[in-house]
Amino acid sequence: NDIFVDWIMPSKHSEKCLSNAHAICVEYIKKANFKNSFCNFDLWVDKNDNIQIIECNPRLAYSFDFQYRMGFGTDILNS
């Protein structure tokens, strides 16, 4: 599976940018009243660390397993 060969795990964004992205996603989840499940966000982050949500999907993304295995050595589907 080489569809995500350019995926960088862990992220190379600053801690401030990651914290802002986390806060934006948490706010979205709370406003949507989404609970007790996986969700998948696609975000645009520009060169000034401005963040925009492109989409939020209420499911486990196809790529999560690959990303976690490559980034953290964790098999989340067979744990």
Side-chain angles (χ1 to χ4, degrees), residues 1-71:
N1 183 353
D2 62 352
I3 191 169
F4 291 101
V5 294
D6 62 343
W7 194 270
I8 299 170
M9 294 281 285
S11 175
K12 295 195 179 213
H13 288 287
S14 68
E15 287 298 321
K16 180 180 179 184
C17 180
L18 295 175
S19 178
N20 288 341
H22 180 263
I24 289 167
C25 293
V26 167
E27 179 182 0
Y28 186 97
I29 289 168
K30 286 180 179 179
K31 286 182 178 180
N33 200 29
F34 188 71
K35 299 177 183 178
N36 301 319
S37 187
F38 285 99
C39 66
N40 171 41
F41 282 91
D42 287 339
L43 307 172
W44 281 111
V45 180
D46 71 14
K47 64 182 178 182
N48 297 316
D49 285 347
N50 297 308
I51 301 166
Q52 292 182 324
I53 295 174
I54 301 304
E55 66 180 326
C56 176
N57 301 297
R59 66 185 184 294
L60 181 67
Y62 169 78
S63 62
F64 275 7
D65 177 54
F66 178 75
Q67 293 164 6
Y68 272 75
R69 278 187 288 118
M70 300 313 301

